[in-house]
């Protein structure tokens, strides 16, 4: 397949800084025996919110796979769990794209309680555009690379967050 020269949806910006994704509520089946959202579902709901960012703002994700046979794969993800979330809690996600090139992107997202505005978790991830035919990395179409670059630029002035780039390990005093 040849890359499509016209966008598949989304928009060319400017992009909100950060981009907010709403409409998520913690489902009963996401709750574990501790009475809060199970650790595995944090990744699920971050992924669902990321898909909305891709589709609604960048014109990527599922429409890209259907039209071009290529799409984003997460290569690495780091979650920080900052506060428990409970069944029925409404969530808002704040995304910022930190960096991007012709095949990859690096983002940081916050999961925020819609009730009190507290950041409950964060995710930092690296994603890559992958051909479903070859299973290998594939350059984004020019319009998609330009949109990612624009989002990086629109988000560049956001203040740093303490979780960005934070290594994992036991802290010793």
């Amino acid at each position: 397949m040849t890359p499509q020269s016209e966008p598949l949806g989304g928009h060319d910006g400017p992009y909100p800084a950060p981009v907010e994704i709403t409409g998520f509520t913690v489902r009963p089946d996401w709750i574990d025996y501790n009475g809060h959202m199970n650790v595995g579902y944090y990744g699920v709901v971050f992924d669902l919110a990321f898909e909305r960012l891709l589709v609604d703002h960048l014109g990527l994700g599922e429409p890209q796979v259907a039209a071009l046979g290529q799409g984003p794969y997460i290569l690495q993800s780091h979650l920080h769990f900052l506060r428990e979330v409970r069944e029925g809690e409404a969530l808002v996600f704040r995304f910022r794209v930190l960096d991007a090139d012709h095949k990859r992107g690096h983002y940081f997202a916050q999961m925020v309680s819609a009730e009190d505005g507290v950041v409950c978790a964060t995710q930092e991830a690296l994603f890559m555009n992958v051909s479903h035919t070859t299973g290998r990395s594939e350059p984004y179409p020019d319009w998609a690379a330009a949109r990612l670059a624009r989002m990086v630029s629109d988000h560049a002035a956001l203040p740093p967050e303490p979780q960005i780039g934070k290594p994992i390990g036991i802290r010793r005093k």
Side-chain angles (χ1 to χ4, degrees):
M1 286 187 192
T2 59
Q4 184 166 328
S5 60
E6 295 297 319
L8 302 169
H11 59 96
D12 292 332
Y15 298 103
V19 175
E20 286 199 357
I21 306 294
T22 62
F24 294 93
T25 303
V26 179
R27 298 171 34 166
D29 56 319
W30 293 352
I31 303 302
D32 65 17
Y33 56 78
N34 291 313
H36 59 232
M37 189 163 71
N38 178 273
V39 65
Y41 289 105
Y42 282 80
V44 168
V45 75
F46 269 112
D47 187 58
L48 292 171
F50 180 54
E51 178 68 9
R52 291 256 316 275
L53 171 79
L54 290 171
V55 173
D56 295 351
H57 293 276
L58 296 169
L60 299 173
E62 190 173 356
Q64 174 195 14
V65 172
L68 304 176
Q70 57 182 244
Y73 283 29
I74 297 289
L75 300 177
Q76 182 177 349
S77 174
H78 190 174
L79 296 171
H80 284 248
F81 304 96
L82 305 174
R83 190 190 87 183
E84 295 175 319
V85 294
R86 306 268 181 205
E87 182 180 338
E89 190 166 356
L91 303 172
V92 174
F93 292 82
R94 296 181 189 144
F95 281 88
R96 65 169 71 184
V97 178
L98 301 169
D99 196 9
D101 65 16
H102 67 289
K103 292 182 182 182
R104 297 168 296 186
H106 176 198
Y107 73 81
F108 177 78
Q110 296 174 315
M111 175 191 295
V112 179
S113 170
E115 297 166 17
D116 59 15
V118 172
V119 177
C120 302
T122 66
Q123 180 190 43
E124 184 175 4
L126 181 65
F127 61 98
M128 182 167 58
N129 193 44
V130 175
S131 165
H132 286 211
T133 302
T134 67
R136 299 179 55 101
S137 66
E138 179 85 17
Y140 280 108
D142 291 343
W143 59 265
R147 285 180 174 184
L148 283 164
R150 171 69 190 258
M151 194 173 277
V152 169
S153 176
D154 288 351
H155 293 173
L158 288 168
E161 294 293 339
Q163 296 86 16
I164 295 173
K166 192 85 169 180
I168 192 168
I170 298 171
R171 286 181 258 153
R172 307 249 186 231
K173 294 185 182 200

